[in-house]
């Protein structure tokens, strides 16, 4: 269900009521709930409190990462104070948060988490590392609070869903036409972009997997559909809001260093589109990392390489 980790990422004024984490020792390894916008949301904190603060924004929407933090940030935790936040409705923050949130609510939550962590750990700035859907929130924070963000690490960033999915669709149809796979072409041509429902999402995913050499059996597809359906009730409305985002037009000027990570086999947010975004990107410092033999899910399948690169580039930047 690796793709679910990819695609499965009322404006409220928010006040924080949680107590600060215990800061009575150098090493921090704690979990807690903070109250944001009337809802309890889970955070997991690990590292040395004297190290730079790093907030990891997970993908989805809906794919909380705190439960597998040992895989995706264990190296970073030796050099940074790393915070995983289960966003509203995700992971351990799902209890009492079953109503589909809007994009504006999620952005407000991200702002409040930023303010809370800076105050709790008495830091002036933090590093933001964001994956997939998390980059939507990461771009928002860095645009609104450049004085509070030291650097942005954008992993498999969401640039333009419409263009990315159109390009993937064209590539898949061309591929299966060349192989005279009429059923694949028929199913792909029936997919609506923007996605109208999870059936569109699931069918494109099915043929992306097949294209990459990992075909999905009918029984497996039935199980995927069941999971997609459960995800749809919670997240589809928010996911559709993402089609309004066009980072190429509105998010190319930053006042902080930006480091972009892309998988060369990414058909979800579009490798070529991300390269185009990077070329337009203006920042005090920028760097592009192209990872081979990986698609959209860099934190899951290229975790060690990703973490080492993040550490070295940030350590070099701070010298």
């Amino acid at each position: 269900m690796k793709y679910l980790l990819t695609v499965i990422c009322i404006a409220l004024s928010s006040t924080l009521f949680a107590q600060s984490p215990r800061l009575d020792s150098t090493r921090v390894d704690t979990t807690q709930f903070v109250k944001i916008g009337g809802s309890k949301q889970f955070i997991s904190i690990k590292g040395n409190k004297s190290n730079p603060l790093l907030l990891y924004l997970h993908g989805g929407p809906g794919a909380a990462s705190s439960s597998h933090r040992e895989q995706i940030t264990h190296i970073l935790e030796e050099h940074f104070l790393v915070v995983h936040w289960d966003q509203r409705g995700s992971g351990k923050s799902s209890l009492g948060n079953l109503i589909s949130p809007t994009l504006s609510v999620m952005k407000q939550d991200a702002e409040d988490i930023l303010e809370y962590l800076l105050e709790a750990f008495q830091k002036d700035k933090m590093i933001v590392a964001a994956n997939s859907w998390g980059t939507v929130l990461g771009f928002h924070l860095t645009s609104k609070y450049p004085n509070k963000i030291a650097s942005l690490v954008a992993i498999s960033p969401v640039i333009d869903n419409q263009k990315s999915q159109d390009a993937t669709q064209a590539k898949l149809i061309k591929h299966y036409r060349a192989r005279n796979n009429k059923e694949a072409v028929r199913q792909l041509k029936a997919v609506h972009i923007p996605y109208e429902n999870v059936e569109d999402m699931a069918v494109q995913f099915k043929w992306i997997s097949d294209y990459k050499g990992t075909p999905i059996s009918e029984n497996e597809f039935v199980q995927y559909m069941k999971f997609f359906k459960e995800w749809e009730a919670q997240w589809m409305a928010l996911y559709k809001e993402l089609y309004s985002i066009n980072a190429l037009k509105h998010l190319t000027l930053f006042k902080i260093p930006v480091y972009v990570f892309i998988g060369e086999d990414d058909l979800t947010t579009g490798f070529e589109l991300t390269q185009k975004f990077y070329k337009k990107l203006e920042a005090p410092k920028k760097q592009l990392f192209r990872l081979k033999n990986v698609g959209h899910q860099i934190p899951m399948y290229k975790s060690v390489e990703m973490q080492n690169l993040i550490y070295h580039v940030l350590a070099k930047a701070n010298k």
Side-chain angles (χ1 to χ4, degrees):
M1 297 190 177
K2 60 186 179 182
Y3 182 75
L4 295 178
L5 294 174
T6 304
V7 297
I8 319 234
C9 180
I10 336 171
L12 300 175
S13 59
S14 303
T15 307
L16 302 169
F17 299 100
Q19 295 181 350
S20 297
R22 294 180 180 179
L23 301 179
D24 53 351
S25 64
T26 302
R27 189 74 183 171
V28 179
D29 187 353
T30 187
T31 63
Q32 68 180 100
F33 286 88
V34 293
K35 197 170 184 183
I36 301 171
S39 92
K40 291 182 178 180
Q41 299 187 35
F42 179 81
I43 56 174
S44 175
I45 310 159
K46 193 170 182 178
N48 191 310
K49 68 179 183 181
S50 64
N51 286 339
L53 182 62
L54 187 152
L55 173 63
Y56 184 87
L57 298 173
H58 68 70
S65 59
S66 64
S67 63
H68 49 277
R69 68 176 301 155
E70 288 300 320
Q71 177 180 353
I72 60 179
T73 58
H74 64 288
I75 296 172
L76 294 175
E77 287 159 10
E78 296 302 314
H79 308 284
F80 304 94
L81 180 58
V82 181
V83 179
H84 283 257
W85 162 43
D86 287 9
Q87 299 160 20
R88 180 188 297 263
S90 307
K92 293 183 180 180
S93 298
S94 60
L95 186 63
N97 292 306
L98 299 179
I99 298 174
S100 181
T102 63
L103 183 56
S104 63
V105 167
M106 298 297 278
K107 286 180 176 180
Q108 183 63 58
D109 283 355
E111 292 180 29
D112 290 341
I113 283 289
L114 170 73
E115 296 289 355
Y116 170 73
L117 292 172
L118 290 175
E119 181 178 354
F121 289 102
Q122 301 174 14
K123 303 283 189 181
D124 294 325
K125 294 185 177 185
M126 69 165 61
I127 298 159
V128 173
N131 177 47
S132 189
W133 139 257
T135 63
V136 174
L137 302 180
F139 286 150
H140 170 70
L141 290 178
T142 53
S143 297
K144 190 168 183 178
Y145 302 106
N147 60 321
K148 297 181 180 181
I149 309 291
S151 301
L152 172 65
V153 179
I155 307 158
S156 305
V158 174
I159 306 300
D160 185 328
N161 264 358
Q162 176 81 48
K163 286 183 179 178
S164 177
Q165 290 165 7
D166 281 340
T168 294
Q169 193 76 332
K171 184 178 292 186
L172 292 172
I173 291 173
K174 180 180 179 180
H175 173 82
Y176 288 108
R177 273 184 176 155
R179 284 151 183 78
N180 200 31
N181 188 332
K182 295 180 180 179
E183 180 59 18
V185 173
R186 183 190 68 80
Q187 289 186 24
L188 286 164
K189 290 185 75 173
V191 170
H192 304 91
I193 298 175
Y195 296 148
E196 292 184 356
N197 48 48
V198 292
E199 283 81 359
D200 292 328
M201 185 183 289
V203 168
Q204 193 179 57
F205 163 57
K206 172 184 174 180
W207 293 110
I208 287 174
S209 296
D210 186 85
Y211 175 86
K212 291 182 176 180
T214 54
I216 297 172
S217 70
E218 286 303 315
N219 286 338
E220 287 176 317
F221 188 70
V222 169
Q223 293 303 311
Y224 276 116
M225 278 304 304
K226 181 180 179 182
F227 202 95
F228 271 108
K229 280 291 185 182
E230 293 174 356
W231 178 87
E232 180 179 38
Q234 175 80 359
W235 298 110
M236 197 64 187
L238 174 58
Y239 187 84
K240 288 183 176 181
E241 285 193 77
L242 303 188
Y243 285 104
S244 65
I245 294 171
N246 185 341
L248 282 166
K249 283 188 176 181
H250 308 297
L251 289 167
T252 58
L253 181 61
F254 291 84
K255 296 180 180 179
I256 62 165
V258 178
Y259 306 101
V260 180
F261 286 68
I262 53 178
E264 291 190 348
D265 299 330
D266 193 345
L267 291 176
T268 301
T269 53
F271 174 79
E272 295 86 355
L273 198 61
T274 305
Q275 286 194 121
K276 189 180 295 185
F277 166 75
Y278 178 78
K279 287 179 181 178
K280 290 188 68 176
L281 178 64
E282 296 180 49
K285 184 173 183 179
K286 68 175 186 176
Q287 196 165 350
L288 177 69
F289 298 92
R290 295 173 46 155
L291 279 66
K292 297 182 180 296
N293 303 315
V294 67
H296 191 65
Q297 276 300 318
I298 292 172
M300 294 300 293
Y301 299 107
K302 288 285 185 174
S303 173
V304 171
E305 182 179 355
M306 176 195 78
Q307 290 181 78
N308 283 326
L309 286 170
I310 291 174
Y311 166 63
H312 288 299
V313 73
L314 293 177
K316 185 178 179 181
N318 290 328
K319 282 184 178 179

